[in-house]
Amino acid sequence: MGAVTESPVLTYLASEGAALSDIGLDHGVRAVFGRTPTQFQTYYVTPDGRAVITGILWDLTAADPGRRNVTLRQTRSIPGVVPTVAIGTQAAAALQQQGQPAVEVERVQAVDGLSLLANAHVGVVGQAGAPIVYMVFDPLCPYSVRGMDELRPAIAAGQLQIALLPVAGLDNHNNGQSTLAARSLLSVPPEDMADAWTKVVQATRRRQSFGIGILTGSDVQLQDNKSIAVSLGVESFPTFVWRQPDGTAGTFVGSGGVQQILRAVGR
């Protein structure tokens, strides 16, 4: 693949065992998708081929807001990147036989998804009194990790409270580690979940065990969170959800949305 062989960075990543795939030219930029056993990342190759840029490519001129996240559109069809929601055990099993990632949930009645957030199992980080924004995330999703890192200054400044709602959507990509990571986070006190998430991410990068005891009942809590995520229409991670003044849901998908979220909650 020319994009790899012409880039020293990508050549090095390939030599370290990363599986790299050219996913095409979009908006004049060559995109390469990289995958290791525990992580994945999209790389954008500079015109001279000597460097790459990691991150999310946005097209803010797109009339359809759902198509502004170019990276999400480019990677949606790659197995393991965006989990497929399967209603019921049989549907999930059928998808898994096809090699497709699936988040399995039980059938739920059509209800106001926002009202279900009161029943979610979450960890909260931020100053009391700040607007609450729910973050639905997979603990091992690199976009979720990046999204949380971007939020930290706003959290520290008292502008936001983040209710961390862990789910597991990438098990087919990481051999079930997402479920173990999510259950680990659900096994610590809510006020400790953010720090536990950092610990899980660091342990994963070092290929070490999480070092967090998994409590009985965390599997039920995880299933509850999955059902709520489906009711909210979550399709990818991270998804941010908040209640707007008119009672409807405000949402943002992906990283890079801190300023938009702050404006939406009046901060």
Side-chain angles (χ1 to χ4, degrees):
M1 183 175 60
V4 173
T5 57
E6 294 171 6
S7 168
V9 177
L10 295 179
T11 300
Y12 170 76
L13 291 172
S15 71
E16 290 293 303
L20 302 175
S21 303
D22 189 336
I23 55 177
L25 193 67
D26 204 324
H27 291 72
V29 181
R30 176 68 61 184
V32 174
F33 184 79
R35 187 193 297 268
T36 70
T38 59
Q39 299 182 54
F40 57 78
Q41 178 67 64
T42 304
Y43 303 93
Y44 292 96
V45 184
T46 57
D48 64 3
R50 305 296 298 173
V52 298
I53 301 169
T54 61
I56 298 176
L57 180 63
W58 294 87
D59 177 10
L60 298 182
T61 65
D64 180 1
R67 294 186 61 81
R68 291 177 183 173
N69 188 331
V70 177
T71 302
L72 180 61
R73 174 164 51 80
Q74 289 174 316
T75 58
R76 184 179 295 276
S77 62
I78 300 175
V81 176
V82 179
T84 300
V85 173
I87 306 299
T89 303
Q90 292 183 346
L95 282 168
Q96 289 165 0
Q97 286 177 357
Q98 299 169 18
Q100 298 297 319
V103 176
E104 178 193 339
V105 298
E106 297 301 322
R107 294 185 181 276
V108 295
Q109 296 179 346
V111 295
D112 172 18
L114 277 171
S115 67
L116 295 178
L117 288 172
N119 299 318
H121 305 282
V122 301
V124 179
V125 57
Q127 295 181 17
I132 296 177
V133 175
Y134 286 81
M135 178 181 183
V136 185
F137 69 102
D138 183 304
L140 301 185
C141 166
Y143 297 118
S144 295
V145 174
R146 181 180 301 142
M148 184 60 185
D149 287 342
E150 293 171 351
L151 287 168
R152 293 187 191 280
I155 295 171
Q159 296 175 295
L160 292 174
Q161 283 188 85
I162 302 299
L164 298 168
L165 196 160
V167 297
L170 301 178
D171 277 341
N172 281 26
H173 170 66
N174 55 34
N175 298 318
Q177 291 299 299
S178 283
T179 288
L180 292 177
R183 289 188 62 188
S184 295
L185 299 192
L186 291 167
S187 297
V188 302
E191 64 272 18
D192 294 338
M193 186 180 289
D195 289 338
W197 185 11
T198 298
K199 183 177 181 180
V200 164
V201 171
Q202 291 175 344
T204 299
R205 289 172 177 169
R206 296 169 183 162
R207 300 186 179 181
Q208 299 174 344
S209 64
F210 301 147
I212 300 173
I214 296 179
L215 297 180
T216 301
S218 60
D219 55 339
V220 176
Q221 293 180 333
L222 180 57
Q223 187 65 37
D224 290 344
N225 280 1
K226 288 180 180 179
S227 297
I228 291 169
V230 170
S231 295
L232 291 169
V234 172
E235 295 182 345
S236 58
F237 308 120
T239 292
F240 299 93
V241 184
W242 60 91
R243 189 179 291 278
Q244 302 188 116
D246 63 0
T248 61
T251 61
F252 185 89
V253 179
S255 57
V258 176
Q259 295 305 314
Q260 180 174 327
I261 293 171
L262 287 173
R263 288 194 297 270
V265 299
R267 292 299 176 108

